[in-house]
Amino acid sequence: GEQVEQRPPHLSVREGDSAVITCTYTDPNSYYFFWYKQEPGASLQLLMKVFSSTEINEGQGFTVLLNKKDKRLSLNLTAAHPGDSAAYFCAVSPSSNTNKVVFGTGTRLQVLP
Amino acid sequence: EAAVTQSPRSKVAVTGGKVTLSCHQTNNHDYMYWYRQDTGHGLRLIHYSYVADSTEKGDIPDGYKASRPSQENFSLILELASLSQTAVYFCASSDGAYAEQFFGPGTRLTVL
């Protein structure tokens, strides 16, 4: 079945620096991709959903890139601030079972002032 | 107003005891999921359901049962709780795997 690898597991950056989190997946026919954010002690909330073949989506303070050729999904936080300190999870909907998603193992991001 | 609620929010159980975790959603979603979260493992799918009165096994169903008596309610049952089931459990609802999942606040379960 679908395997999702997320790197790095931990990331510490200074305020104003960028932070990049990457997920690679195995199912070339996966179609829906998600990034979720989990603040300390809280539940998960959607950051962004993407599904085009190669796409750059820009949100508030971040960019998501999907490269289907390389089976890679990345989240780039530009000019990180302490409020970005959280755990981030990618999720991929596999073609083998369209009723579920497979989550990456998460990245714990710490933004230092 | 929270659309996905879980109860209890935390629970301490004894090994071998029965534990029931409850989830209620007001999103009118067909899909509901139960995940467990452990450090270093992210979220792993235990059971899910896409219609009332029917449940499906997820990726790690062993030791867990699920029940979906209505569209709004989805329970996770540990018939014989074990130490290895200590974790945080999240319930979520969605319109389908293509759609955003809305998560509950989580239940912290400690099995002693």
Side-chain angles (χ1 to χ4, degrees), chain B residues 84-109:
Chain B
S84 63
Q85 293 176 313
T86 292
V88 177
Y89 291 84
F90 286 100
C91 174
S93 76
S94 81
D95 276 328
Y98 62 89
E100 173 184 3
Q101 293 191 24
F102 292 85
F103 285 82
T107 295
R108 183 172 297 276
L109 174 65

PDB file of all heavy atoms in Angstrom, chain B residues 84-109:
ATOM      1  N   SER B  84       0.103  -1.216  25.422  1.00  0.00           N
ATOM      2  CA  SER B  84       0.524  -0.691  24.124  1.00  0.00           C
ATOM      3  C   SER B  84      -0.536   0.219  23.482  1.00  0.00           C
ATOM      4  O   SER B  84      -0.255   0.878  22.469  1.00  0.00           O
ATOM      5  CB  SER B  84       0.844  -1.830  23.161  1.00  0.00           C
ATOM      6  OG  SER B  84      -0.321  -2.594  22.907  1.00  0.00           O
ATOM      7  N   GLN B  85      -1.716   0.268  24.063  1.00  0.00           N
ATOM      8  CA  GLN B  85      -2.777   1.111  23.521  1.00  0.00           C
ATOM      9  C   GLN B  85      -2.811   2.494  24.171  1.00  0.00           C
ATOM     10  O   GLN B  85      -3.691   3.307  23.876  1.00  0.00           O
ATOM     11  CB  GLN B  85      -4.127   0.414  23.638  1.00  0.00           C
ATOM     12  CG  GLN B  85      -4.209  -0.818  22.733  1.00  0.00           C
ATOM     13  CD  GLN B  85      -5.499  -1.596  22.887  1.00  0.00           C
ATOM     14  OE1 GLN B  85      -5.941  -1.879  24.011  1.00  0.00           O
ATOM     15  NE2 GLN B  85      -6.101  -1.960  21.779  1.00  0.00           N
ATOM     16  N   THR B  86      -1.864   2.749  25.038  1.00  0.00           N
ATOM     17  CA  THR B  86      -1.692   4.100  25.565  1.00  0.00           C
ATOM     18  C   THR B  86      -1.300   5.026  24.422  1.00  0.00           C
ATOM     19  O   THR B  86      -0.296   4.798  23.737  1.00  0.00           O
ATOM     20  CB  THR B  86      -0.603   4.118  26.654  1.00  0.00           C
ATOM     21  OG1 THR B  86      -1.067   3.388  27.791  1.00  0.00           O
ATOM     22  CG2 THR B  86      -0.281   5.548  27.068  1.00  0.00           C
ATOM     23  N   ALA B  87      -2.094   6.060  24.180  1.00  0.00           N
ATOM     24  CA  ALA B  87      -1.878   6.960  23.048  1.00  0.00           C
ATOM     25  C   ALA B  87      -2.917   8.076  23.120  1.00  0.00           C
ATOM     26  O   ALA B  87      -3.786   8.088  23.990  1.00  0.00           O
ATOM     27  CB  ALA B  87      -2.026   6.213  21.720  1.00  0.00           C
ATOM     28  N   VAL B  88      -2.810   8.987  22.180  1.00  0.00           N
ATOM     29  CA  VAL B  88      -3.853   9.989  21.976  1.00  0.00           C
ATOM     30  C   VAL B  88      -4.677   9.542  20.772  1.00  0.00           C
ATOM     31  O   VAL B  88      -4.120   9.196  19.725  1.00  0.00           O
ATOM     32  CB  VAL B  88      -3.267  11.387  21.736  1.00  0.00           C
ATOM     33  CG1 VAL B  88      -4.383  12.388  21.466  1.00  0.00           C
ATOM     34  CG2 VAL B  88      -2.439  11.830  22.941  1.00  0.00           C
ATOM     35  N   TYR B  89      -5.989   9.544  20.944  1.00  0.00           N
ATOM     36  CA  TYR B  89      -6.890   9.089  19.899  1.00  0.00           C
ATOM     37  C   TYR B  89      -7.674  10.274  19.330  1.00  0.00           C
ATOM     38  O   TYR B  89      -8.252  11.058  20.080  1.00  0.00           O
ATOM     39  CB  TYR B  89      -7.851   8.038  20.454  1.00  0.00           C
ATOM     40  CG  TYR B  89      -7.144   6.753  20.799  1.00  0.00           C
ATOM     41  CD1 TYR B  89      -6.500   6.596  22.023  1.00  0.00           C
ATOM     42  CD2 TYR B  89      -7.096   5.704  19.889  1.00  0.00           C
ATOM     43  CE1 TYR B  89      -5.824   5.423  22.335  1.00  0.00           C
ATOM     44  CE2 TYR B  89      -6.436   4.523  20.191  1.00  0.00           C
ATOM     45  CZ  TYR B  89      -5.798   4.394  21.409  1.00  0.00           C
ATOM     46  OH  TYR B  89      -5.128   3.237  21.700  1.00  0.00           O
ATOM     47  N   PHE B  90      -7.672  10.357  18.008  1.00  0.00           N
ATOM     48  CA  PHE B  90      -8.397  11.418  17.323  1.00  0.00           C
ATOM     49  C   PHE B  90      -9.500  10.839  16.461  1.00  0.00           C
ATOM     50  O   PHE B  90      -9.300   9.859  15.742  1.00  0.00           O
ATOM     51  CB  PHE B  90      -7.464  12.242  16.427  1.00  0.00           C
ATOM     52  CG  PHE B  90      -6.556  13.169  17.186  1.00  0.00           C
ATOM     53  CD1 PHE B  90      -5.238  12.814  17.430  1.00  0.00           C
ATOM     54  CD2 PHE B  90      -7.022  14.398  17.634  1.00  0.00           C
ATOM     55  CE1 PHE B  90      -4.397  13.674  18.127  1.00  0.00           C
ATOM     56  CE2 PHE B  90      -6.189  15.259  18.330  1.00  0.00           C
ATOM     57  CZ  PHE B  90      -4.874  14.889  18.574  1.00  0.00           C
ATOM     58  N   CYS B  91     -10.627  11.488  16.509  1.00  0.00           N
ATOM     59  CA  CYS B  91     -11.729  11.196  15.613  1.00  0.00           C
ATOM     60  C   CYS B  91     -11.783  12.318  14.584  1.00  0.00           C
ATOM     61  O   CYS B  91     -11.427  13.460  14.873  1.00  0.00           O
ATOM     62  CB  CYS B  91     -13.035  11.126  16.402  1.00  0.00           C
ATOM     63  SG  CYS B  91     -14.520  10.938  15.412  1.00  0.00           S
ATOM     64  N   ALA B  92     -12.206  11.981  13.376  1.00  0.00           N
ATOM     65  CA  ALA B  92     -12.337  12.994  12.331  1.00  0.00           C
ATOM     66  C   ALA B  92     -13.539  12.667  11.459  1.00  0.00           C
ATOM     67  O   ALA B  92     -13.966  11.508  11.379  1.00  0.00           O
ATOM     68  CB  ALA B  92     -11.075  13.072  11.473  1.00  0.00           C
ATOM     69  N   SER B  93     -14.056  13.685  10.792  1.00  0.00           N
ATOM     70  CA  SER B  93     -15.130  13.479   9.827  1.00  0.00           C
ATOM     71  C   SER B  93     -14.793  14.208   8.541  1.00  0.00           C
ATOM     72  O   SER B  93     -14.028  15.181   8.536  1.00  0.00           O
ATOM     73  CB  SER B  93     -16.475  13.968  10.392  1.00  0.00           C
ATOM     74  OG  SER B  93     -16.552  15.384  10.367  1.00  0.00           O
ATOM     75  N   SER B  94     -15.341  13.727   7.439  1.00  0.00           N
ATOM     76  CA  SER B  94     -15.119  14.397   6.157  1.00  0.00           C
ATOM     77  C   SER B  94     -16.189  13.963   5.159  1.00  0.00           C
ATOM     78  O   SER B  94     -16.954  13.031   5.401  1.00  0.00           O
ATOM     79  CB  SER B  94     -13.725  14.083   5.605  1.00  0.00           C
ATOM     80  OG  SER B  94     -13.707  12.821   4.971  1.00  0.00           O
ATOM     81  N   ASP B  95     -16.163  14.646   4.015  1.00  0.00           N
ATOM     82  CA  ASP B  95     -17.057  14.269   2.914  1.00  0.00           C
ATOM     83  C   ASP B  95     -16.471  13.124   2.093  1.00  0.00           C
ATOM     84  O   ASP B  95     -17.141  12.578   1.222  1.00  0.00           O
ATOM     85  CB  ASP B  95     -17.296  15.474   1.996  1.00  0.00           C
ATOM     86  CG  ASP B  95     -18.401  16.374   2.527  1.00  0.00           C
ATOM     87  OD1 ASP B  95     -19.327  15.841   3.164  1.00  0.00           O
ATOM     88  OD2 ASP B  95     -18.312  17.595   2.304  1.00  0.00           O
ATOM     89  N   GLY B  96     -15.219  12.792   2.340  1.00  0.00           N
ATOM     90  CA  GLY B  96     -14.552  11.729   1.594  1.00  0.00           C
ATOM     91  C   GLY B  96     -13.064  11.948   1.635  1.00  0.00           C
ATOM     92  O   GLY B  96     -12.580  12.950   2.167  1.00  0.00           O
ATOM     93  N   ALA B  97     -12.291  10.992   1.085  1.00  0.00           N
ATOM     94  CA  ALA B  97     -10.832  11.097   1.144  1.00  0.00           C
ATOM     95  C   ALA B  97     -10.314  12.271   0.320  1.00  0.00           C
ATOM     96  O   ALA B  97      -9.195  12.714   0.517  1.00  0.00           O
ATOM     97  CB  ALA B  97     -10.199   9.802   0.656  1.00  0.00           C
ATOM     98  N   TYR B  98     -11.119  12.778  -0.588  1.00  0.00           N
ATOM     99  CA  TYR B  98     -10.701  13.914  -1.404  1.00  0.00           C
ATOM    100  C   TYR B  98     -10.875  15.230  -0.657  1.00  0.00           C
ATOM    101  O   TYR B  98     -10.441  16.291  -1.124  1.00  0.00           O
ATOM    102  CB  TYR B  98     -11.527  13.964  -2.682  1.00  0.00           C
ATOM    103  CG  TYR B  98     -13.002  14.169  -2.416  1.00  0.00           C
ATOM    104  CD1 TYR B  98     -13.558  15.447  -2.312  1.00  0.00           C
ATOM    105  CD2 TYR B  98     -13.848  13.081  -2.226  1.00  0.00           C
ATOM    106  CE1 TYR B  98     -14.895  15.630  -2.041  1.00  0.00           C
ATOM    107  CE2 TYR B  98     -15.192  13.257  -1.954  1.00  0.00           C
ATOM    108  CZ  TYR B  98     -15.710  14.534  -1.866  1.00  0.00           C
ATOM    109  OH  TYR B  98     -17.033  14.709  -1.587  1.00  0.00           O
ATOM    110  N   ALA B  99     -11.527  15.172   0.487  1.00  0.00           N
ATOM    111  CA  ALA B  99     -11.937  16.388   1.191  1.00  0.00           C
ATOM    112  C   ALA B  99     -11.170  16.567   2.499  1.00  0.00           C
ATOM    113  O   ALA B  99     -10.584  15.625   3.035  1.00  0.00           O
ATOM    114  CB  ALA B  99     -13.436  16.339   1.479  1.00  0.00           C
ATOM    115  N   GLU B 100     -11.210  17.767   2.996  1.00  0.00           N
ATOM    116  CA  GLU B 100     -10.604  18.088   4.284  1.00  0.00           C
ATOM    117  C   GLU B 100     -11.227  17.240   5.379  1.00  0.00           C
ATOM    118  O   GLU B 100     -12.437  17.016   5.400  1.00  0.00           O
ATOM    119  CB  GLU B 100     -10.830  19.563   4.600  1.00  0.00           C
ATOM    120  CG  GLU B 100     -10.391  19.993   5.984  1.00  0.00           C
ATOM    121  CD  GLU B 100     -10.738  21.441   6.280  1.00  0.00           C
ATOM    122  OE1 GLU B 100     -11.372  22.087   5.421  1.00  0.00           O
ATOM    123  OE2 GLU B 100     -10.370  21.919   7.379  1.00  0.00           O
ATOM    124  N   GLN B 101     -10.387  16.791   6.310  1.00  0.00           N
ATOM    125  CA  GLN B 101     -10.885  16.104   7.488  1.00  0.00           C
ATOM    126  C   GLN B 101     -10.964  17.108   8.633  1.00  0.00           C
ATOM    127  O   GLN B 101     -10.047  17.900   8.838  1.00  0.00           O
ATOM    128  CB  GLN B 101      -9.991  14.930   7.860  1.00  0.00           C
ATOM    129  CG  GLN B 101     -10.039  13.815   6.825  1.00  0.00           C
ATOM    130  CD  GLN B 101      -9.382  12.535   7.281  1.00  0.00           C
ATOM    131  OE1 GLN B 101      -9.253  12.272   8.474  1.00  0.00           O
ATOM    132  NE2 GLN B 101      -8.995  11.704   6.333  1.00  0.00           N
ATOM    133  N   PHE B 102     -12.048  17.036   9.381  1.00  0.00           N
ATOM    134  CA  PHE B 102     -12.245  17.879  10.551  1.00  0.00           C
ATOM    135  C   PHE B 102     -12.040  17.008  11.779  1.00  0.00           C
ATOM    136  O   PHE B 102     -12.742  16.004  11.961  1.00  0.00           O
ATOM    137  CB  PHE B 102     -13.644  18.484  10.539  1.00  0.00           C
ATOM    138  CG  PHE B 102     -13.840  19.481   9.431  1.00  0.00           C
ATOM    139  CD1 PHE B 102     -14.200  19.057   8.162  1.00  0.00           C
ATOM    140  CD2 PHE B 102     -13.652  20.833   9.647  1.00  0.00           C
ATOM    141  CE1 PHE B 102     -14.366  19.962   7.132  1.00  0.00           C
ATOM    142  CE2 PHE B 102     -13.816  21.745   8.628  1.00  0.00           C
ATOM    143  CZ  PHE B 102     -14.175  21.309   7.363  1.00  0.00           C
ATOM    144  N   PHE B 103     -11.092  17.421  12.597  1.00  0.00           N
ATOM    145  CA  PHE B 103     -10.680  16.593  13.714  1.00  0.00           C
ATOM    146  C   PHE B 103     -11.323  17.035  15.016  1.00  0.00           C
ATOM    147  O   PHE B 103     -11.554  18.234  15.249  1.00  0.00           O
ATOM    148  CB  PHE B 103      -9.160  16.630  13.875  1.00  0.00           C
ATOM    149  CG  PHE B 103      -8.434  15.829  12.841  1.00  0.00           C
ATOM    150  CD1 PHE B 103      -8.174  16.348  11.585  1.00  0.00           C
ATOM    151  CD2 PHE B 103      -8.024  14.538  13.127  1.00  0.00           C
ATOM    152  CE1 PHE B 103      -7.512  15.599  10.625  1.00  0.00           C
ATOM    153  CE2 PHE B 103      -7.364  13.782  12.173  1.00  0.00           C
ATOM    154  CZ  PHE B 103      -7.109  14.313  10.923  1.00  0.00           C
ATOM    155  N   GLY B 104     -11.561  16.056  15.877  1.00  0.00           N
ATOM    156  CA  GLY B 104     -11.970  16.345  17.235  1.00  0.00           C
ATOM    157  C   GLY B 104     -10.770  16.742  18.072  1.00  0.00           C
ATOM    158  O   GLY B 104      -9.631  16.718  17.596  1.00  0.00           O
ATOM    159  N   PRO B 105     -10.984  17.084  19.340  1.00  0.00           N
ATOM    160  CA  PRO B 105      -9.907  17.580  20.201  1.00  0.00           C
ATOM    161  C   PRO B 105      -8.966  16.498  20.702  1.00  0.00           C
ATOM    162  O   PRO B 105      -7.912  16.798  21.235  1.00  0.00           O
ATOM    163  CB  PRO B 105     -10.653  18.213  21.374  1.00  0.00           C
ATOM    164  CG  PRO B 105     -11.936  17.455  21.437  1.00  0.00           C
ATOM    165  CD  PRO B 105     -12.283  17.140  20.012  1.00  0.00           C
ATOM    166  N   GLY B 106      -9.335  15.231  20.506  1.00  0.00           N
ATOM    167  CA  GLY B 106      -8.485  14.140  20.946  1.00  0.00           C
ATOM    168  C   GLY B 106      -8.855  13.619  22.324  1.00  0.00           C
ATOM    169  O   GLY B 106      -9.416  14.335  23.161  1.00  0.00           O
ATOM    170  N   THR B 107      -8.535  12.344  22.546  1.00  0.00           N
ATOM    171  CA  THR B 107      -8.694  11.699  23.855  1.00  0.00           C
ATOM    172  C   THR B 107      -7.348  11.101  24.239  1.00  0.00           C
ATOM    173  O   THR B 107      -6.786  10.302  23.490  1.00  0.00           O
ATOM    174  CB  THR B 107      -9.743  10.579  23.811  1.00  0.00           C
ATOM    175  OG1 THR B 107     -11.021  11.131  23.538  1.00  0.00           O
ATOM    176  CG2 THR B 107      -9.781   9.830  25.137  1.00  0.00           C
ATOM    177  N   ARG B 108      -6.862  11.503  25.386  1.00  0.00           N
ATOM    178  CA  ARG B 108      -5.605  10.942  25.882  1.00  0.00           C
ATOM    179  C   ARG B 108      -5.941   9.725  26.738  1.00  0.00           C
ATOM    180  O   ARG B 108      -6.550   9.847  27.792  1.00  0.00           O
ATOM    181  CB  ARG B 108      -4.823  11.966  26.689  1.00  0.00           C
ATOM    182  CG  ARG B 108      -3.474  11.457  27.175  1.00  0.00           C
ATOM    183  CD  ARG B 108      -2.654  12.569  27.816  1.00  0.00           C
ATOM    184  NE  ARG B 108      -2.325  13.615  26.867  1.00  0.00           N
ATOM    185  CZ  ARG B 108      -1.299  13.584  26.041  1.00  0.00           C
ATOM    186  NH1 ARG B 108      -0.492  12.535  26.030  1.00  0.00           N
ATOM    187  NH2 ARG B 108      -1.056  14.592  25.232  1.00  0.00           N
ATOM    188  N   LEU B 109      -5.544   8.549  26.260  1.00  0.00           N
ATOM    189  CA  LEU B 109      -5.806   7.299  26.971  1.00  0.00           C
ATOM    190  C   LEU B 109      -4.512   6.767  27.555  1.00  0.00           C
ATOM    191  O   LEU B 109      -3.511   6.614  26.851  1.00  0.00           O
ATOM    192  CB  LEU B 109      -6.402   6.255  26.010  1.00  0.00           C
ATOM    193  CG  LEU B 109      -6.601   4.854  26.597  1.00  0.00           C
ATOM    194  CD1 LEU B 109      -7.647   4.883  27.701  1.00  0.00           C
ATOM    195  CD2 LEU B 109      -7.017   3.860  25.511  1.00  0.00           C
TER     196      LEU B 109
END
